[in-house]
Amino acid sequence: MEYTWPLLMAVALLIGLFSGYPVALVLAGVGVIFTFLADVPLIFLSTGVARIFSGILSNWLLIAVPLFVFMGLMLERSGIAQRLLRSLAGILGPVPGGYAFAVAIIGIVMAASTGIIGASVVLMGVLALPVMLQNRYKPEIATGIIAATGTLGILIPPSVMLVVLGDTLRLSVGDLFAGALIPGLLLGGLYIVYLIILAIFWPQTMPPLPPSERAGFGNTLLQLCRDLLGPLALILTVLGSIIAGIATPTESAALGALGTFLLALLSRQLSWAQFVAVLNETTKTTAMIMFIMIGATVFSVIFRKLGGDGMIADALGAEEGNPYAVLGVIMLFVFILGMFLDWVEITFIVVPIVAPIIAGLDFGLPSEQVLLWFAILFAVNLQTSFLTPPFGYALFYIRGIAPPELGIDVIYRGIVPFVVIQLIALALTMAFPSLALWLPETLLGR
Amino acid sequence: MLAAESLRDAVASMTSLCKSVEAACAWFGRIAGWLTPLLVVSVCLGVLMVQLRLNALAEWTTPVPLFGTHISMNSLLDLQWHLFAVLVMLGGVYALHTDAHVRVDFIAARFTPRTRQIITLLGDLLFLLPFAVLMTWFSWTFTMSAFQVHEGSSYGGLLDRWIVKAVLPLGFALLTLLGAARAVRTAIEIARGGGDTPVSDPER
């Protein structure tokens, strides 16, 4: 058997992952164990150290990751989402489904403001879920819209996921951000279209809220405009400067981090203890992502040495197959992985293995563009990993804050339409590569 | 009788020793959190310097370690990834201590606490410790060779690369220590048959 070792390694990885031991250490540990089992010279592990240093620790681009994480956590504590929800709900609430629109719009605005999840599922769940349930929204719709829009931050640029993908695929992060903008907004737009269809044909599933007596319509509109200033300023400085090519992702992330810190200070809601908690949380999240990268580095050095990349290429039939079939198989594989793992693990395990295969496929496009298009498809697909049962983070977060009579089966049922919408967005981007390629080409002349 | 009691005492003090070792390792990670504001400030400062077309921030005559005789734009750029490297390596130790590393636990959630303890022990022994020990060793030689050839920036940035490289052996050594202490403590808990205390010590 040509592929005995890589096959055994993949099996060991699966067992390790499903044992529930930390993923980063399973990856690294399996790499080390197979170095000894398969008698790989130890020099391969010591080159792993050099790779960790030059590829991760001294990688200036990756500095954007802690900065974006810090920015996202600060934004969540700035109270911007709370205030936006209050003013938007004041305006849209009295229409059927209006509150759900408010939740969706906030999801999209906050996603474009920050590189990780800005108005998290937990925050929106705590704020919006009780209101929706109290007003006899269908629980499936209430939980579905919160989970689906609360996780858009990872797809809509700026995005930590795209920074990491850009690093792994050696693509310009500016191109990736520009490329993901239309598919990301398309996805958010499709959510809203779905809500509109529900509101028109099944208005009883999303009853209007009683109009609030406290403030008049004009005042609320004014309030909304004021509440939108902060996010709009962030979108312009962070996203605008990267896409326009004025600043690197790291630089604009730092400016955004400073900006959100000031916004949080201005809101007078930031206590010292909260600030320290944000710092600790930033350290943990950054280390979590980077250690999976470190573990995957060790794993893939040994996996490749043992012929694992050849095994994957053969299994995909990359040599003679139809390029769309190969792409379809990879996308299906990523979607299935997304049911069990989340974007960090999938990115670091799958991308380095499949990228050379994809770059060699003939779609009638230059290979640089193929990779960019593939990265965007990959990112849209990974967005589902938050939502697909049995293991979607967003679902567990919702479960944690929902009232106990709301069972996990309700949450699972509620997410299905949104996953279908994501698959529609994925299929559209696959069928029309220009959805991903047009904006970078037009803006950056590529 | 007396032997049994002194054994119990020894086991109890072993457990508390392990806990203090674990907490001491994680302390480094807590410190690392304070690098984030420094990172924000240094990147913003860099942006400002470019806008103002400044190249040197400060100059002096007596060379100091790491910086040499000046802080230029390039030293600032180097400083940024130096801070990041420390944040990642020490943060990794902290994340292990606070159970912040991602785990695929939809199957493991159905295991009994005892089974989970056994998995933690096996994982520490099979995955964590061999990896951390080997990486400590290899990164030590990696750092030493940078020290011996006085490796530094070739473009007017920071000198003494060994200082930032040393964060690798430091981080991996702390991981080894933390993993070993946790493995001993978990083994004691399994042997005692107590399954109700969680293995890791999350702060939240």
Side-chain angles (χ1 to χ4, degrees):
Chain A
M1 267 283 280
E2 194 185 351
Y3 294 133
T4 313
W5 283 121
L7 211 57
L8 281 175
M9 220 175 150
V11 171
L13 177 66
L14 277 182
I15 296 173
L17 288 181
F18 288 129
S19 76
Y21 195 72
V23 171
L25 300 170
V26 171
L27 279 164
V30 169
V32 170
I33 290 171
F34 277 78
T35 310
F36 288 103
L37 286 182
D39 219 7
V40 176
L42 280 179
I43 183 87
F44 281 90
L45 280 183
S46 70
T47 59
V49 169
R51 277 184 195 214
I52 290 169
F53 181 77
S54 60
I56 303 172
L57 298 185
S58 61
N59 189 332
W60 197 70
L61 174 65
L62 293 178
I63 300 176
V65 174
L67 298 175
F68 275 133
V69 172
F70 175 81
M71 181 182 167
L73 291 167
M74 267 301 157
L75 193 63
E76 191 176 285
R77 277 159 184 78
S78 67
I80 286 178
Q82 280 96 319
R83 271 176 281 138
L84 266 181
L85 185 64
R86 203 180 308 142
S87 48
L88 260 179
I91 290 171
L92 294 171
V95 209
Y99 202 81
F101 291 127
V103 171
I105 291 168
I106 291 167
I108 295 169
V109 170
M110 299 301 266
S113 312
T114 181
I116 196 153
I117 291 159
S120 68
V121 174
V122 175
L123 180 65
M124 291 310 280
V126 169
L127 293 176
L129 190 59
V131 182
M132 289 164 113
L133 292 177
Q134 212 171 26
N135 284 279
R136 294 199 304 284
Y137 265 61
K138 206 176 165 203
E140 281 89 345
I141 296 173
T143 54
I145 191 71
I146 291 172
T149 55
T151 51
L152 277 173
I154 206 75
L155 174 63
I156 296 184
S159 150
V160 169
M161 176 164 80
L162 294 174
V163 169
V164 164
L165 267 176
D167 183 63
T168 328
L169 290 169
R170 292 171 207 291
L171 291 170
S172 132
V173 175
D175 284 4
L176 278 173
F177 280 11
L181 195 58
I182 291 178
L185 293 178
L186 173 75
L187 183 58
L190 286 175
Y191 288 160
I192 290 181
V193 170
Y194 172 67
L195 289 179
I196 292 176
I197 294 174
L198 283 179
I200 292 175
F201 294 102
W202 294 276
Q204 72 282 4
T205 58
M206 304 190 290
L209 266 65
S212 61
E213 302 93 37
R214 269 168 288 165
F217 183 81
N219 281 343
T220 321
L221 198 63
L222 201 69
Q223 186 60 41
L224 175 65
C225 293
R226 269 185 48 196
D227 293 341
L228 273 172
L229 280 182
L232 283 181
L234 286 178
I235 292 172
L236 276 180
T237 35
V238 179
L239 190 54
S241 63
I242 301 173
I243 290 188
I246 305 169
T248 66
T250 308
E251 287 166 348
S252 60
L255 293 176
L258 190 66
T260 35
F261 175 65
L262 294 178
L263 282 176
L265 274 188
L266 280 177
S267 77
R268 295 163 194 275
Q269 286 183 354
L270 186 70
S271 69
W272 178 252
Q274 273 180 328
F275 181 64
V276 175
V278 165
L279 294 184
N280 284 338
E281 206 57 42
T282 306
T283 312
K284 283 192 258 184
T285 307
T286 307
M288 180 273 282
I289 297 175
M290 292 306 148
F291 260 72
I292 291 179
M293 207 169 172
I294 290 175
T297 304
V298 175
F299 179 86
S300 62
V301 164
I302 306 302
F303 189 64
R304 278 198 202 151
K305 166 72 183 119
L306 296 174
D309 40 357
M311 178 178 83
I312 303 285
D314 275 8
L316 290 171
E319 295 294 318
E320 63 277 356
N322 174 342
Y324 281 94
V326 176
L327 183 66
V329 170
I330 293 175
M331 285 298 139
L332 183 68
F333 182 59
V334 170
F335 179 76
I336 293 172
L337 280 181
M339 294 179 174
F340 306 101
L341 308 177
D342 73 355
W343 68 270
V344 193
E345 297 101 285
I346 301 176
T347 306
F348 291 132
I349 299 172
V350 177
V351 171
I353 296 172
V354 299
I357 301 173
I358 290 289
L361 294 177
D362 180 20
F363 292 96
L365 293 165
S367 87
E368 178 86 346
Q369 288 210 320
V370 170
L371 272 184
L372 177 59
W373 175 49
F374 169 72
I376 304 299
L377 291 178
F378 203 84
V380 176
N381 198 342
L382 284 180
Q383 177 71 27
T384 65
S385 73
F386 286 104
L387 304 180
T388 38
F391 188 73
Y393 264 101
L395 306 181
F396 280 101
Y397 286 150
I398 294 261
R399 183 71 209 90
I401 49 179
E405 64 270 19
L406 216 141
I408 190 82
D409 51 317
V410 173
I411 298 169
Y412 281 173
R413 266 203 310 277
I415 206 64
V416 172
F418 294 96
V419 173
V420 171
I421 291 172
Q422 286 182 328
L423 291 178
I424 293 172
L426 179 63
L428 283 174
T429 319
M430 271 176 97
F432 306 103
S434 52
L435 281 176
L437 299 176
W438 177 78
L439 195 62
E441 237 172 287
T442 314
L443 277 179
L444 305 157
R446 273 167 240 212
Chain B
M1 199 75 102
L2 212 61
E5 242 168 57
S6 63
L7 183 67
R8 201 175 308 141
D9 282 353
V11 166
S13 56
M14 192 68 202
T15 304
S16 68
L17 174 70
C18 289
K19 278 192 179 157
S20 358
V21 170
E22 289 169 56
C25 294
W27 179 82
F28 286 90
R30 211 185 296 263
I31 296 306
W34 289 98
L35 297 176
T36 305
L38 280 181
L39 204 52
V40 174
V41 170
S42 67
V43 179
C44 288
L45 194 64
V47 173
L48 193 70
M49 279 171 71
V50 171
Q51 292 305 314
L52 298 176
R53 297 177 197 287
L54 281 176
N55 189 38
L57 205 60
E59 274 180 286
W60 54 87
T61 45
T62 334
V64 296
L66 199 62
F67 288 97
T69 56
H70 63 275
I71 298 178
S72 65
M73 188 63 204
N74 282 336
S75 359
L76 204 59
L77 288 176
D78 275 358
L79 186 67
Q80 290 159 10
W81 66 258
H82 278 52
L83 291 173
F84 174 71
V86 179
L87 181 73
V88 170
M89 287 311 295
L90 298 185
V93 185
Y94 181 53
L96 183 69
H97 182 68
T98 51
D99 197 22
H101 283 300
V102 176
R103 299 186 286 121
V104 182
D105 54 3
F106 70 96
I107 296 178
R110 281 169 218 159
F111 294 160
T112 62
R114 191 178 164 79
T115 312
R116 264 179 279 166
Q117 280 183 330
I118 292 171
I119 288 173
T120 305
L121 179 62
L122 285 178
D124 286 351
L125 294 178
L126 287 174
F127 295 140
L128 170 60
L129 285 175
F131 161 68
V133 168
L134 275 174
M135 287 291 138
T136 311
W137 171 249
F138 287 131
S139 58
W140 174 256
T141 49
F142 183 69
T143 308
M144 281 317 282
S145 70
F147 180 72
Q148 275 149 7
V149 302
H150 301 288
E151 193 194 349
S153 163
S154 50
Y155 42 82
L158 295 185
L159 309 171
D160 301 319
R161 272 292 183 270
W162 66 270
I163 295 178
V164 64
K165 286 188 173 177
V167 79
L168 275 159
L170 174 66
F172 284 122
L174 286 171
L175 269 185
T176 309
L177 205 59
L178 177 59
R182 189 169 80 167
V184 170
R185 185 164 63 83
T186 316
I188 291 173
E189 274 168 28
I190 293 171
R192 272 175 170 175
D196 37 28
T197 41
V199 171
S200 52
D201 242 352
E203 297 182 334
R204 292 178 288 175

